[in-house]
Amino acid sequence: MLQQILSNGIFKSLQKTNDFSLFMIVCLLSAILFSYPALLNLPPQTLHLWRQSDCLAFALNYYDGQKFFEPRVYNYLNDNGLCAGECPLIYYAVGKIWQFTGVQYWIFKCFQLLIFHMGTWALFKLSLGITQSRLGSFFIITCYISAPLVMVYAPSFLADIPSLSFVWMGLLYFYSYQKRKGFINLLLTSICFLFAMLLKANAMFLPIAILLNMLLCKLKWVKENDIVKYNTKLIIAIAASILVQYFWYAWVIEYTTIHRSSFLGTGTWPGWPIWEASAKDIQNTIKMLAYYAQDLFSIIGLIIALLALIFVFIHFFKKDALAWLIMTYLGAVLCFLLYFFVGFKDNNYYFVNLYVLPFLCLIFLVKMTKKYFDKSLIKLILLAIILFNFAYANKRMQVYFYNGKQHQKLSEEYYHEGFRNFIDKNLPPNAQVISFPDVTPNGTLSVIQRHGVSQYGFKEGKINEEDLQKMLSRKINYYLCNNKYGLSDTALKVHLDGLVGKFETLSLYKLK
């Protein structure tokens, strides 16, 4: 009976469809299900609005003509907003495109989604090459696309999903070089891993794990295979990419030190490592980690990931090189988690690059059990899991958007269709603005596309007279206030020089 169901109708059509066409169908259906077209032109919102606004600010400053090695945000912070973190490859590219098209949020997000889908295709080809199972490989990428954090951050302004995507591309070219050699595969291995690490430093865990395990293969401590084996050229290529990204972050530390603007962070904050954290911080972080579990996978996805990890652990003792690579990566993840422990409480995007771990485990599991994937019952079970995962992800979408419980956004006025015209009509392009209330560094400042300050960095979110005089001496000449919260800083009242205009609950004042 099962065999008849699977050999007819849609199943038969899917079996005849070529890989790329089926991949495009999966991506298109998931984009529609998760409302990506409706989200493309939205300003920063939902998960980690704060950090998304920072990324947008970098791109907008490049649009305004900022030089590549002078990355800048809108908040003045300590020195004109000059600051750096991840390499602004995407922000710079988008800013240059905007110089021809004008500022369009959808261009930024489509650029992100293009990289995301390139990475997803690389994950499929990698899975197919290693497992030799078409069904298993499509199951893997559907689990990937429907992972809630992936689903939400893919069409965002953050660089984490592009970084993860370059990891998959680098790993695919690494595998291709191990199988077929070729200078192009070697070069692309190095470049893709380099891009991944430049976009997010924690992407270095996999290249480092690869280097270590290739050396272990050389020493005969583990049993090499077609995936992980010693190769001098690969070691040099990957080591070179790690070295280049080291130089970038060394430059970042120097740049942020010179401009006294470390808000992006190039390491942990005091109290973040678990050995420095207070008992209360540890307790609160553990609660948030438990909460974030539902953002990583569905309950079925979590169970499968755990079973896959156990399966890898068993083969670790058999000295399988791929199992050792995965366990080495797990060790790096655990060290990262302990070192940045408290930081995970408020920064769930830290988990994005760590998706490498469960999906390498899943590839390993499929590779070792592929003979069962021809069974009719297994096919139906996998289909049921895929449908459940997509339904679960769609449910989480309602939480992250459409005014759900986790839908973070600025005041509604900043998203109104007439707000852009109000700002451009009343604020000169070179205007400098005090924006209150706004606890983020660049939230409202990015939306209005003007330099200035927000509540960020001021004690208790209030401006003291000393700081106010510094701002006025810098010729900050406008104050954007949300009347919904009252004239939010009384220290500013004596410096008001008249109302410029109102937009719903927002009031724009000129400063003396």
Side-chain angles (χ1 to χ4, degrees):
M1 179 65 177
L2 289 177
Q3 189 63 41
Q4 290 179 344
I5 294 174
L6 292 171
S7 61
N8 290 301
I10 188 171
F11 291 100
K12 190 174 182 180
S13 299
L14 292 177
Q15 289 172 357
K16 291 182 177 180
T17 305
N18 67 61
D19 290 344
F20 188 73
S21 296
L22 187 55
F23 171 79
M24 293 301 295
I25 291 171
V26 170
C27 292
L28 180 61
L29 291 177
S30 64
I32 294 172
L33 179 64
F34 300 146
S35 306
Y36 282 176
L39 305 178
L40 287 179
N41 214 34
L42 294 180
Q45 55 190 281
T46 202
L47 294 182
H48 227 286
L49 165 68
W50 176 323
R51 191 67 182 85
Q52 289 200 57
S53 299
D54 299 339
C55 300
L56 176 60
F58 283 118
L60 288 168
N61 275 274
Y62 283 126
Y63 163 73
D64 288 333
Q66 201 74 13
K67 295 179 181 178
F68 181 82
F69 284 102
E70 294 180 1
R72 186 185 188 190
V73 293
Y74 281 114
N75 195 308
Y76 281 142
L77 304 171
N78 295 316
D79 193 357
N80 292 322
L82 296 169
C83 61
E86 66 268 13
C87 188
L89 295 168
I90 294 175
Y91 314 140
Y92 184 78
V94 170
K96 291 304 177 183
I97 294 172
W98 279 346
Q99 289 179 353
F100 294 97
T101 65
V103 176
Q104 305 287 343
Y105 295 141
W106 67 266
I107 291 177
F108 196 140
K109 293 183 181 181
C110 282
F111 197 86
Q112 300 272 90
L113 285 171
L114 174 62
I115 299 173
F116 165 62
H117 286 114
M118 290 170 61
T120 307
W121 175 247
L123 175 59
F124 169 75
K125 295 297 288 184
L126 175 71
S127 303
L128 185 61
I130 294 175
T131 66
Q132 296 298 303
S133 170
R134 186 172 187 253
L135 175 60
S137 299
F138 271 109
F139 175 71
I140 289 170
I141 65 164
T142 56
C143 290
Y144 178 61
I145 292 174
S146 62
L149 281 186
V150 174
M151 170 198 69
V152 173
Y153 282 129
S156 76
F157 298 93
L158 294 178
D160 297 76
I161 289 293
S163 174
L164 177 59
S165 299
F166 278 113
V167 169
W168 295 131
M169 286 184 260
L171 195 54
L172 172 63
Y173 290 119
F174 167 82
Y175 173 72
S176 297
Y177 185 80
Q178 294 280 42
K179 293 285 286 185
R180 297 182 293 273
K181 299 297 186 288
F183 176 75
I184 295 299
N185 286 330
L186 181 66
L187 179 63
L188 290 176
T189 298
S190 182
I191 291 175
C192 288
F193 279 146
L194 174 59
F195 281 7
M197 292 183 288
L198 288 176
L199 291 175
K200 283 296 170 181
N202 59 1
M204 75 174 71
F205 299 158
L206 184 61
I208 290 175
I210 288 173
L211 289 182
L212 177 59
N213 281 275
M214 283 197 292
L215 292 175
L216 292 177
C217 287
K218 176 68 172 178
L219 295 173
K220 306 297 183 184
W221 288 10
V222 297
K223 300 174 183 177
E224 67 178 24
N225 51 39
D226 290 341
I227 307 162
V228 184
K229 56 186 175 183
Y230 180 82
N231 187 288
T232 302
K233 291 181 179 179
L234 273 173
I235 287 179
I236 294 173
I238 295 174
S241 66
I242 294 173
L243 184 62
V244 172
Q245 71 91 29
Y246 168 80
F247 286 132
W248 167 260
Y249 287 105
W251 176 84
V252 165
I253 293 172
E254 181 181 3
Y255 184 76
T256 54
T257 301
I258 292 172
H259 297 291
R260 298 175 293 120
S261 54
S262 59
F263 89 107
L264 290 176
T266 51
T268 63
W269 292 92
W272 275 15
I274 195 168
W275 51 88
E276 295 180 6
S278 66
K280 183 178 180 180
D281 279 339
I282 292 175
Q283 182 181 13
N284 290 337
T285 302
I286 291 174
K287 287 181 179 178
M288 288 306 299
L289 291 177
Y291 176 81
Y292 289 151
Q294 65 185 330
D295 292 337
L296 297 175
F297 293 104
S298 68
I299 184 63
I300 294 178
L302 287 172
I303 292 172
I304 292 174
L306 180 60
L307 291 175
L309 180 60
I310 293 172
F311 198 78
V312 171
F313 186 68
I314 293 171
H315 283 78
F316 172 78
F317 293 101
K318 299 178 181 179
K319 295 191 174 183
D320 181 277
L322 181 56
W324 272 65
L325 172 63
I326 296 171
M327 296 305 293
T328 304
Y329 183 86
L330 173 61
V333 168
L334 292 176
C335 291
F336 177 61
L337 178 61
L338 294 175
Y339 192 51
F340 284 79
F341 185 73
V342 176
F344 276 86
K345 177 169 64 70
D346 298 315
N347 301 286
N348 62 359
Y349 62 90
Y350 286 0
F351 285 103
V352 170
N353 252 308
L354 307 187
Y355 272 112
V356 171
L357 176 63
F359 283 98
L360 282 183
C361 291
L362 193 52
I363 290 173
F364 189 89
L365 178 63
V366 174
K367 176 178 182 289
M368 295 299 183
T369 60
K370 62 182 179 182
K371 63 182 180 180
Y372 300 106
F373 280 66
D374 291 330
K375 297 183 178 296
S376 300
L377 179 60
I378 296 298
K379 291 179 181 179
L380 282 178
I381 291 174
L382 293 180
L383 177 61
I385 293 173
I386 290 171
L387 294 176
F388 177 83
N389 284 343
F390 275 96
Y392 176 80
N394 187 53
K395 183 179 179 181
R396 295 301 294 168
M397 171 65 75
Q398 310 308 312
V399 176
Y400 302 132
F401 292 96
Y402 312 115
N403 295 318
K405 293 181 179 180
Q406 295 298 317
H407 188 188
Q408 305 169 16
K409 61 190 302 187
L410 303 172
S411 294
E412 195 64 40
E413 295 77 15
Y414 291 97
Y415 302 98
H416 195 283
E417 60 182 358
F419 179 70
R420 181 78 262 154
N421 290 332
F422 168 76
I423 290 298
D424 291 339
K425 179 182 177 181
N426 294 286
L427 268 178
N430 60 347
Q432 301 176 90
V433 182
I434 297 174
S435 179
F436 275 66
D438 179 9
V439 297
T440 75
N442 292 284
T444 55
L445 295 174
S446 290
V447 174
I448 66 176
Q449 298 175 30
R450 300 295 189 273
H451 293 276
V453 295
S454 65
Q455 284 172 268
Y456 175 82
F458 295 103
K459 293 181 179 178
E460 300 178 356
K462 297 181 179 179
I463 299 176
N464 58 56
E465 189 62 29
E466 181 182 355
D467 288 327
L468 178 59
Q469 291 303 322
K470 287 180 181 178
M471 288 186 288
L472 294 175
S473 68
R474 299 185 68 152
K475 300 182 179 178
I476 293 181
N477 45 10
Y478 287 89
Y479 170 43
L480 183 61
C481 169
N482 194 329
N483 297 315
K484 187 187 301 182
Y485 303 96
L487 193 57
S488 53
D489 203 292
T490 55
L492 285 165
K493 287 185 178 180
V494 296
H495 297 281
L496 300 182
D497 192 26
L499 180 68
V500 176
K502 283 189 174 184
F503 181 81
E504 297 188 3
T505 65
L506 299 178
S507 294
L508 181 65
Y509 294 91
K510 192 79 168 63
L511 296 177
K512 297 178 181 177

